[in-house]
Amino acid sequence: MNSTGRVAIVTGASRGIGFGIARALVERGDFVCVTARGKDGLEEAVVKLGGPDRALGVVGAAQDENHQAGVMSATLERFGRIDYLVNNVGTNTAFGPLAGVGVADARNILEINVLSALGFAQHAHEAWMGEHGGAIVNIASISALGAAPFMGLYAVSKAAVVSLTTQLAYEFAPDIRVNAIAPALVKTEFAAGAYVGREPETAATYPLQRLGQPEDIAGAAAFLLSEQSGWMTGQTIIIDGGITLRADRGGARRTRRARTAQ
């Protein structure tokens, strides 16, 4: 592999979208530090990414401030710089109407999906980017664009990620660019409950007639973490297979709710 000399931190990167982004960056010659909670999955990811000469894995909980600081220290010790940050880690432990969401679940979702992104950005700014510049990508969701029945708190958290992106882009300019990606349904283990067993029917609702792959998001992230997007900050790129083009994209969900009410 050729080396760009650039270094990226990608959270939640032992699998799924995070791993896809890390792999795309490694394939173009970057070095990566990947994080996740599970040691075994993270070690496997490091091997797939080219081993310790190319990738570093740091185990920990994304919302833990000590873990965030430790990731910065470990990355600087191994690679000597931090050019890029991808806040990919996310969770959803609450389903159904907001009126029934427990405080503990709400706090957990917001801490992992929103506050961890803020914390990693703050630490990256302090550790390297504030003095040397860089670029940050936050992974949001199309659920941030409107009401999301059955997963409302997740939608609230991703809307906060979009707003966080805008605010950080304004405050961190001109030397640090901050953008976001809002995917629709991507085929990952995290989203398996939304398509496994009914993928053809689900894919048929998308104009491009398929669900997303991690590679679809990885390409956009690599673009945002490059000089090709050098005049771009505070933006959220929607990658959705065309589903948001449909004026009635919420129609089926509204129909299900009406039938349930009857």
Side-chain angles (χ1 to χ4, degrees):
M1 270 177 262
N2 293 324
S3 174
T4 63
R6 302 295 177 88
V7 177
I9 294 171
V10 186
T11 69
S14 63
R15 62 190 184 189
I17 291 174
F19 178 78
I21 292 173
R23 181 167 58 188
L25 297 178
V26 165
E27 287 177 349
R28 77 177 187 187
D30 294 346
F31 301 93
V32 296
C33 172
V34 291
T35 78
R37 294 182 66 100
K39 180 180 179 182
D40 292 343
L42 196 58
E43 289 178 347
E44 183 178 350
V46 168
V47 171
K48 291 178 179 178
L49 292 170
D53 290 338
R54 182 61 58 171
L56 166 69
V58 181
V59 178
Q63 69 273 31
D64 182 348
E65 291 185 35
N66 291 328
H67 170 64
Q68 296 165 9
V71 169
M72 303 300 150
S73 298
T75 304
L76 288 173
E77 182 178 353
R78 173 69 66 85
F79 299 122
R81 59 190 297 149
I82 302 170
D83 300 285
Y84 309 130
L85 168 65
V86 180
N87 285 309
N88 167 73
V89 69
T91 190
N92 185 31
T93 56
F95 297 90
L98 288 178
V101 173
V103 173
D105 279 330
R107 182 175 291 114
N108 183 59
I109 290 172
L110 293 173
E111 285 184 350
I112 294 175
N113 294 3
V114 185
L115 296 184
S116 75
L118 173 60
F120 269 106
Q122 289 173 329
H123 281 287
H125 183 277
E126 180 180 355
W128 181 267
M129 291 187 185
E131 182 177 353
H132 303 279
I136 298 173
V137 171
N138 298 320
I139 303 301
S141 166
I142 64 164
S143 66
L145 306 180
F150 313 117
M151 51 189 300
L153 193 62
Y154 178 79
V156 168
S157 73
K158 290 303 185 177
V161 169
V162 171
S163 183
L164 176 68
T165 298
T166 304
Q167 189 66 29
L168 287 178
Y170 181 80
E171 295 185 8
F172 283 4
D175 296 321
I176 303 172
R177 297 184 301 105
V178 187
N179 292 288
I181 298 173
L185 182 55
V186 177
K187 292 176 63 175
T188 64
E189 184 176 333
F190 174 77
Y195 70 89
V196 171
R198 54 183 182 277
E199 184 176 342
E201 298 88 342
T202 304
T205 66
Y206 285 72
L208 293 187
Q209 297 290 290
R210 70 174 177 86
L211 303 184
Q213 299 283 355
E215 293 77 14
D216 295 316
I217 313 306
F223 164 70
L224 292 173
L225 302 175
S226 74
E227 294 180 358
Q228 290 176 307
S229 60
W231 205 45
M232 184 175 181
T233 195
Q235 304 304 307
T236 297
I237 296 178
I238 297 171
I239 304 179
D240 67 347
I243 191 67
T244 57
L245 297 174
R246 293 180 49 183
D248 66 334
R249 61 190 175 94
R253 291 192 293 267
R254 287 193 294 271
T255 300
R256 284 198 296 270
R257 284 208 310 279
R259 289 174 178 170
T260 301
Q262 293 172 356

